[in-house]
């Protein structure tokens, strides 16, 4: 089943880089959510453009998303629940709606996309060397995920205009720390050379049944 799922849509391909979309499927119905939405809407347009470039370069897109305690739902069920709820975050979702036939997804229980999830296994399966981080919050889940990626030996790139936070000061501080401590590239999305970073490299051999 894993082999089949990896063969829909980008595969069977290995890719030296992946694009992570962190918590962009989000009701934003919590204190501070209005401030985050204000920053996230222009961010979403830039992520959408970066995502189109990633597809063109053969770079997989992975939605790494909080479950919001909906443990009984799969990712696409969560998408529909939020979409039908009329929550404040629906405009963000509409700008970055996942493609069920083309995007991977990982549901996470805490801040980091790696904590008790299958993300590391998926990245190993894809042959990933570089993770490109987008989404929110830029001062919480993005740095937690970036740190765990760095600790696992991945090169970290954060598209600085494709992440958003509630407050500007904390956001700027988090980006500085990511750049300094994780040796990350925090360039704007348009300056990220996807061709140089990587993309589809070779076929994934399906495991024996």
């Amino acid at each position: 089943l894993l082999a089949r799922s990896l063969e829909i849509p980008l595969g069977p391909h290995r890719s030296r880089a992946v694009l992570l979309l962190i918590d962009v499927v989000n009701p934003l119905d919590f204190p501070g959510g209005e401030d985050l939405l204000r920053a996230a809407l222009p961010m979403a347009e830039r992520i959408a453009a970066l995502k189109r470039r990633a597809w063109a370069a053969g770079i997989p897109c992975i939605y790494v998303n909080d479950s919001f305690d909906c443990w009984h739902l799969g990712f696409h069920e969560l998408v529909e629940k939020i979409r039908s709820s009329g929550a404040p975050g629906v405009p963000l979702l509409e700008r970055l709606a996942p493609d069920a036939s083309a995007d991977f997804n990982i549901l996470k229980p805490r801040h980091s996309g790696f904590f008790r999830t299958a993300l590391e296994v998926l990245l190993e399966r894809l042959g990933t060397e570089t993770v490109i981080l987008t989404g929110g919050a830029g001062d919480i889940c993005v740095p937690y995920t970036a740190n765990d990626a760095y600790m696992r030996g991945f090169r970290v790139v954060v598209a600085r205009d494709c992440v958003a936070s509630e407050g500007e000061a904390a956001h700027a501080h988090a980006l500085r720390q990511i750049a300094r401590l994780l040796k990350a590239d925090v360039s704007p999305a348009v300056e990220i050379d996807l061709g140089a970073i990587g993309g589809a490299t070779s076929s994934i051999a399906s495991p024996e049944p």
Side-chain angles (χ1 to χ4, degrees):
L1 290 177
L2 175 62
R4 292 194 192 98
S5 67
L6 288 176
E7 289 176 3
I8 301 173
L10 296 170
H13 293 301
R14 294 171 66 85
S15 176
R16 297 195 308 274
V18 299
L19 178 66
L20 303 184
L21 292 83
I22 301 172
D23 288 344
V24 299
V25 178
N26 195 323
L28 294 174
D29 56 356
F30 47 81
E34 182 177 344
D35 293 330
L36 183 53
L37 179 61
R38 190 177 300 112
L41 288 179
M43 168 205 76
E45 302 294 342
R46 293 186 286 268
I47 293 178
L50 181 59
K51 184 181 177 185
R52 288 191 293 270
R53 289 174 53 209
W55 275 346
I59 292 176
C61 300
I62 307 175
Y63 283 71
V64 180
N65 216 90
D66 196 287
S67 67
F68 297 105
D69 282 334
C70 295
W71 300 103
H72 58 300
L73 300 180
F75 174 70
H76 293 289
E77 293 172 314
L78 178 65
V79 169
E80 292 309 313
K81 176 180 174 65
I82 293 174
R83 179 179 279 132
S84 63
S85 70
V90 170
L92 177 63
L93 171 59
E94 293 305 327
R95 287 164 172 79
L96 292 171
D99 186 327
S101 67
D103 297 318
F104 296 116
N105 63 80
I106 296 288
L107 285 175
K108 62 185 178 71
R110 299 296 295 273
H111 305 314
S112 171
F114 288 90
F115 180 71
R116 295 185 177 178
T117 76
L119 179 58
E120 185 173 6
V121 177
L122 175 57
L123 297 182
E124 289 175 353
R125 178 77 173 139
L126 293 173
T128 300
E129 300 168 2
T130 299
V131 291
I132 305 166
L133 277 64
T134 67
D139 58 344
I140 306 175
C141 295
V142 170
Y144 272 98
T145 302
N147 182 74
D148 279 357
Y150 177 76
M151 293 295 288
R152 287 161 173 78
F154 296 102
R155 179 191 176 204
V156 175
V157 175
V158 177
R160 65 179 305 119
D161 56 347
C162 291
V163 292
S165 306
E166 293 176 31
E168 293 182 7
H171 181 79
H173 176 72
L175 286 177
R176 288 195 298 270
Q177 291 294 90
I178 290 171
R180 184 173 71 88
L181 299 178
L182 309 183
K183 304 176 178 62
D185 178 354
V186 292
S187 300
V190 295
E191 296 181 11
I192 298 173
D193 188 343
L194 298 181
I197 290 174
T201 57
S202 62
S203 297
I204 297 176
S206 298
E208 292 297 323

